[in-house]
Protein backbone atom coordinates (compact mmCIF):
# COMPACT_ATOMS: atom_id res chain seq x y z
CA UNK A 1 0.00 0.00 0.00
CA UNK A 2 1.99 3.00 -1.19
CA UNK A 3 1.51 6.25 0.69
CA UNK A 4 0.80 9.18 -1.62
CA UNK A 5 1.49 12.79 -0.61
CA UNK A 6 0.36 16.00 -2.31
CA UNK A 7 1.90 19.42 -1.68
CA UNK A 8 1.20 23.12 -2.17
CA UNK A 9 -1.19 24.15 -4.99
CA UNK A 10 -1.76 20.50 -5.89
CA UNK A 11 -2.79 19.64 -2.32
CA UNK A 12 -5.30 22.51 -2.41
CA UNK A 13 -6.67 21.57 -5.84
CA UNK A 14 -7.11 17.91 -4.89
CA UNK A 15 -8.41 18.63 -1.41
CA UNK A 16 -6.12 16.18 0.36
CA UNK A 17 -2.58 16.07 1.69
CA UNK A 18 -2.06 12.31 1.77
CA UNK A 19 -3.70 8.95 1.26
CA UNK A 20 -2.89 5.27 1.34
CA UNK A 21 -3.96 3.35 -1.76
CA UNK A 22 -4.09 -0.24 -2.88
CA UNK A 23 -1.83 -0.47 -5.94
CA UNK A 24 -3.95 -1.98 -8.72
CA UNK A 25 -2.52 -4.91 -10.70
CA UNK A 26 -0.45 -3.73 -13.64
CA UNK A 27 0.58 -0.41 -12.05
CA UNK A 28 4.33 -0.54 -11.47
CA UNK A 29 5.72 2.90 -12.20
CA UNK A 30 5.03 6.62 -11.82
CA UNK A 31 3.31 6.89 -15.21
CA UNK A 32 0.96 4.03 -14.32
CA UNK A 33 0.17 5.52 -10.92
CA UNK A 34 -0.61 8.92 -12.47
CA UNK A 35 -2.96 7.28 -15.00
CA UNK A 36 -4.69 5.36 -12.20
CA UNK A 37 -5.20 8.48 -10.05
CA UNK A 38 -6.22 10.68 -13.02
CA UNK A 39 -8.95 8.16 -13.89
CA UNK A 40 -10.81 9.30 -10.75
CA UNK A 41 -11.87 12.27 -12.90
CA UNK A 42 -12.57 15.87 -11.89
CA UNK A 43 -9.57 17.61 -10.34
CA UNK A 44 -7.57 14.36 -10.47
CA UNK A 45 -7.34 14.61 -14.26
CA UNK A 46 -4.80 17.42 -13.90
CA UNK A 47 -2.23 14.90 -12.66
CA UNK A 48 -2.12 13.60 -16.24
CA UNK A 49 -2.30 16.99 -17.95
CA UNK A 50 -0.05 19.24 -15.85
CA UNK A 51 3.11 19.83 -17.86
CA UNK A 52 5.17 20.76 -14.82
CA UNK A 53 4.09 18.06 -12.34
CA UNK A 54 6.98 16.84 -10.18
CA UNK A 55 7.14 13.45 -8.50
CA UNK A 56 9.36 11.97 -5.79
CA UNK A 57 9.54 8.30 -4.81
CA UNK A 58 10.86 7.63 -1.31
CA UNK A 59 11.93 11.28 -1.08
CA UNK A 60 14.12 11.20 -4.20
CA UNK A 61 13.11 12.98 -7.42
CA UNK A 62 11.55 10.45 -9.77
CA UNK A 63 11.00 10.09 -13.51
CA UNK A 64 7.93 8.80 -15.40
CA UNK A 65 9.43 5.32 -15.59
CA UNK A 66 10.62 5.18 -11.96
CA UNK A 67 9.23 2.02 -10.31
CA UNK A 68 6.54 2.22 -7.63
CA UNK A 69 5.88 -0.70 -5.30
CA UNK A 70 3.77 -1.42 -2.24
CA UNK A 71 5.84 0.09 0.54
CA UNK A 72 6.85 3.27 -1.28
CA UNK A 73 6.17 6.87 -0.34
CA UNK A 74 5.23 8.77 -3.50
CA UNK A 75 4.83 12.56 -3.56
CA UNK A 76 3.35 14.80 -6.25
CA UNK A 77 3.96 18.55 -6.25
CA UNK A 78 4.40 21.64 -8.45
CA UNK A 79 7.85 23.10 -9.23
CA UNK A 80 9.56 24.28 -6.05
CA UNK A 81 9.81 27.96 -5.08
CA UNK A 82 11.90 28.25 -1.92
CA UNK A 83 14.93 30.37 -1.11
CA UNK B 1 27.99 20.63 7.66
CA UNK B 2 24.68 21.68 9.16
CA UNK B 3 21.25 22.03 7.54
CA UNK B 4 18.09 23.01 9.42
CA UNK B 5 14.45 23.68 8.59
CA UNK B 6 12.58 25.59 11.27
CA UNK B 7 9.67 27.95 11.91
CA UNK B 8 11.65 30.20 14.24
CA UNK B 9 13.76 33.12 13.09
CA UNK B 10 17.54 32.72 13.19
CA UNK B 11 20.26 35.04 14.47
CA UNK B 12 22.67 35.87 11.63
CA UNK B 13 25.57 36.69 13.99
CA UNK B 14 25.07 33.41 15.88
CA UNK B 15 24.98 31.43 12.62
CA UNK B 16 28.19 33.12 11.43
CA UNK B 17 29.85 32.40 14.76
CA UNK B 18 28.90 28.71 14.50
CA UNK B 19 30.11 28.65 10.90
CA UNK B 20 33.46 30.10 11.94
CA UNK B 21 33.75 27.71 14.90
CA UNK B 22 33.04 24.73 12.64
CA UNK B 23 35.36 25.86 9.85
CA UNK B 24 38.75 25.80 11.55
CA UNK B 25 41.50 27.02 9.25
CA UNK B 26 39.16 29.05 7.03
CA UNK B 27 40.31 32.40 5.70
CA UNK B 28 36.92 33.44 4.37
CA UNK B 29 33.32 33.31 5.50
CA UNK B 30 30.60 34.15 2.98
CA UNK B 31 26.94 34.37 3.91
CA UNK B 32 23.70 34.97 2.05
CA UNK B 33 20.45 35.94 3.77
CA UNK B 34 17.18 35.85 1.82
CA UNK B 35 14.31 38.11 2.94
CA UNK B 36 10.57 38.29 2.24
CA UNK B 37 10.05 41.09 -0.29
CA UNK B 38 7.19 43.56 0.23
CA UNK B 39 6.27 43.63 -3.49
CA UNK B 40 5.42 40.78 -5.85
CA UNK B 41 4.56 41.50 -9.47
CA UNK B 42 3.63 45.05 -8.50
CA UNK B 43 1.24 43.95 -5.71
CA UNK B 44 1.94 44.68 -2.05
CA UNK B 45 2.66 41.51 -0.06
CA UNK B 46 1.04 41.37 3.37
CA UNK B 47 2.30 37.91 4.35
CA UNK B 48 3.82 34.73 3.00
CA UNK B 49 3.64 31.10 4.06
CA UNK B 50 6.24 28.50 3.24
CA UNK B 51 5.38 24.82 2.96
CA UNK B 52 7.95 22.00 2.81
CA UNK B 53 8.14 18.22 2.54
CA UNK B 54 9.39 17.08 5.96
CA UNK B 55 12.18 14.56 5.49
CA UNK B 56 12.81 15.12 1.80
CA UNK B 57 13.55 18.83 2.25
CA UNK B 58 16.28 18.16 4.82
CA UNK B 59 17.74 15.41 2.62
CA UNK B 60 17.75 17.70 -0.43
CA UNK B 61 19.51 20.47 1.52
CA UNK B 62 22.12 18.01 2.81
CA UNK B 63 22.67 16.71 -0.73
CA UNK B 64 23.17 20.25 -2.08
CA UNK B 65 25.60 21.12 0.74
CA UNK B 66 27.44 17.85 0.10
CA UNK B 67 27.70 18.61 -3.59
CA UNK B 68 29.16 22.04 -2.80
CA UNK B 69 31.80 20.39 -0.61
CA UNK B 70 32.76 18.06 -3.44
CA UNK B 71 33.12 20.93 -5.92
CA UNK B 72 34.99 23.42 -3.75
CA UNK B 73 37.48 23.08 -0.86
CA UNK B 74 35.15 24.12 1.97
CA UNK B 75 35.80 24.00 5.70
CA UNK B 76 32.16 24.33 6.71
CA UNK B 77 28.66 24.76 5.25
CA UNK B 78 25.57 25.97 7.09
CA UNK B 79 22.04 26.25 5.68
CA UNK B 80 18.97 27.36 7.65
CA UNK B 81 15.58 27.67 5.93
CA UNK B 82 12.40 28.86 7.61
CA UNK B 83 8.89 27.54 7.00
CA UNK B 84 5.45 28.66 8.13
CA UNK B 85 4.05 32.20 8.20
CA UNK B 86 6.45 35.05 7.40
CA UNK B 87 5.99 38.80 7.06
CA UNK B 88 7.69 41.20 4.62
CA UNK B 89 11.24 41.99 5.71
CA UNK B 90 11.58 38.76 7.70
CA UNK B 91 14.52 36.44 7.07
CA UNK B 92 13.72 33.29 5.05
CA UNK B 93 17.05 31.57 4.45
CA UNK B 94 20.68 31.64 5.60
CA UNK B 95 23.48 30.11 3.55
CA UNK B 96 26.98 30.27 5.00
CA UNK B 97 30.22 28.76 3.75
CA UNK B 98 33.74 28.81 5.13
CA UNK B 99 36.80 28.23 2.96
CA UNK B 100 40.50 28.99 2.88
CA UNK B 101 39.98 31.69 0.24
CA UNK B 102 37.14 33.95 -0.81
CA UNK B 103 36.85 32.70 -4.40
CA UNK B 104 35.65 29.24 -3.41
CA UNK B 105 33.48 30.67 -0.63
CA UNK B 106 31.63 33.09 -2.93
CA UNK B 107 31.18 30.47 -5.66
CA UNK B 108 29.98 27.77 -3.30
CA UNK B 109 27.55 30.11 -1.54
CA UNK B 110 26.03 31.17 -4.86
CA UNK B 111 25.85 27.55 -6.02
CA UNK B 112 23.99 26.51 -2.86
CA UNK B 113 21.31 29.21 -3.02
CA UNK B 114 20.86 28.84 -6.81
CA UNK B 115 20.51 25.07 -6.49
CA UNK B 116 18.28 25.24 -3.41
CA UNK B 117 15.79 27.38 -5.34
CA UNK B 118 15.25 24.70 -7.98
CA UNK B 119 15.88 21.43 -6.09
CA UNK B 120 14.77 21.77 -2.45
CA UNK B 121 11.06 21.09 -1.92
CA UNK B 122 9.74 24.37 -0.54
CA UNK B 123 6.67 26.22 -1.83
CA UNK B 124 5.79 29.86 -1.19
CA UNK B 125 2.23 31.14 -0.95
CA UNK B 126 1.82 34.90 -0.90
CA UNK B 127 -1.06 36.99 0.33
CA UNK B 128 -1.03 40.23 -1.68
CA UNK B 129 -3.32 43.19 -2.29
CA UNK B 130 -4.40 41.28 -5.44
CA UNK B 131 -5.30 38.11 -3.50
CA UNK B 132 -3.51 34.96 -2.36
CA UNK B 133 -1.44 32.94 -4.81
CA UNK B 134 1.16 30.20 -4.93
CA UNK B 135 4.46 31.58 -6.19
CA UNK B 136 5.40 30.07 -9.55
CA UNK B 137 8.89 28.78 -10.11
CA UNK B 138 10.85 31.44 -11.95
CA UNK B 139 12.56 30.79 -15.28
CA UNK B 140 15.37 33.06 -14.06
CA UNK B 141 15.96 30.66 -11.15
CA UNK B 142 16.21 27.70 -13.53
CA UNK B 143 18.70 29.68 -15.62
CA UNK B 144 20.73 30.59 -12.52
CA UNK B 145 20.85 26.97 -11.37
CA UNK B 146 21.58 25.78 -14.91
CA UNK B 147 24.80 27.80 -15.00
CA UNK B 148 26.34 25.33 -12.59
CA UNK B 149 25.74 22.30 -14.82
CA UNK B 150 26.26 18.71 -13.73
CA UNK B 151 29.73 17.71 -12.66
Amino acid sequence: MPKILYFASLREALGRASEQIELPPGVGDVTGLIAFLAARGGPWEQLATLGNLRCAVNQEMAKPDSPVTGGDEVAFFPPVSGG
Amino acid sequence: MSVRVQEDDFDVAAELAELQAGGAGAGALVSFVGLVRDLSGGAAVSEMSLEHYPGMTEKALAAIAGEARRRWPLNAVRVVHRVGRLLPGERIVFVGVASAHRGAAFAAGEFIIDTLKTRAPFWKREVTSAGARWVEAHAADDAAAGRWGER
Side-chain angles (χ1 to χ4, degrees):
Chain A
M1 292 232 303
K3 184 179 185 188
I4 323 273
L5 306 172
Y6 308 98
F7 288 97
S9 54
L10 198 60
R11 170 177 54 73
E12 279 189 350
L14 299 176
R16 73 179 65 168
S18 71
E19 63 180 316
Q20 205 106 36
I21 66 159
E22 200 74 55
L23 210 56
V27 172
D29 63 11
V30 170
T31 299
L33 179 61
I34 288 173
F36 170 70
L37 294 170
R40 291 168 169 175
W44 296 93
E45 287 172 9
Q46 65 189 286
L47 287 172
T49 56
L50 277 174
N52 59 6
L53 181 72
R54 301 288 194 268
C55 177
V57 176
N58 297 326
Q59 306 191 353
E60 299 280 352
M61 290 307 298
K63 296 191 171 130
D65 63 353
S66 296
V68 174
T69 57
D72 287 340
E73 176 177 294
V74 182
F76 292 106
F77 44 83
V80 305
S81 57
Chain B
M1 188 167 94
S2 158
V3 304
R4 288 184 351 251
V5 177
Q6 62 187 43
E7 289 194 10
D8 293 340
D9 191 15
F10 51 83
D11 180 322
V12 175
E15 296 301 332
L16 276 170
E18 287 290 325
L19 181 69
Q20 184 174 355
L29 304 180
V30 165
S31 66
F32 169 84
V33 178
L35 307 174
V36 180
R37 274 187 298 270
D38 61 356
L39 273 179
S40 172
V45 175
S46 56
E47 66 174 79
M48 169 180 281
S49 56
L50 261 150
E51 181 171 332
H52 76 302
Y53 180 173
M56 181 174 173
T57 302
E58 291 83 351
K59 276 201 231 175
L61 293 178
I64 293 165
E67 196 173 324
R69 295 197 77 150
R70 282 193 296 280
R71 289 182 178 219
W72 291 278
L74 304 179
N75 301 51
V77 178
R78 205 166 176 83
V79 180
V80 185
H81 203 298
R82 293 180 66 194
V83 292
R85 183 167 175 269
L86 297 170
L87 300 176
E90 285 197 65
R91 287 175 280 271
I92 303 175
V93 59
F94 174 92
V95 173
V97 294
S99 183
H101 300 286
R102 69 183 182 282
F106 274 115
E110 198 170 17
F111 165 82
I112 291 170
I113 186 66
D114 283 353
T115 309
L116 181 159
K117 278 181 167 284
T118 60
R119 292 224 313 248
F122 290 102
W123 300 274
K124 286 179 183 148
R125 185 175 179 276
E126 290 173 340
V127 179
T128 74
S129 48
R133 62 175 199 116
W134 288 94
V135 175
E136 304 268 334
H138 296 296
D141 288 338
D142 286 335
R147 288 182 305 148
W148 299 100
E150 297 291 330
R151 252 195 232 170

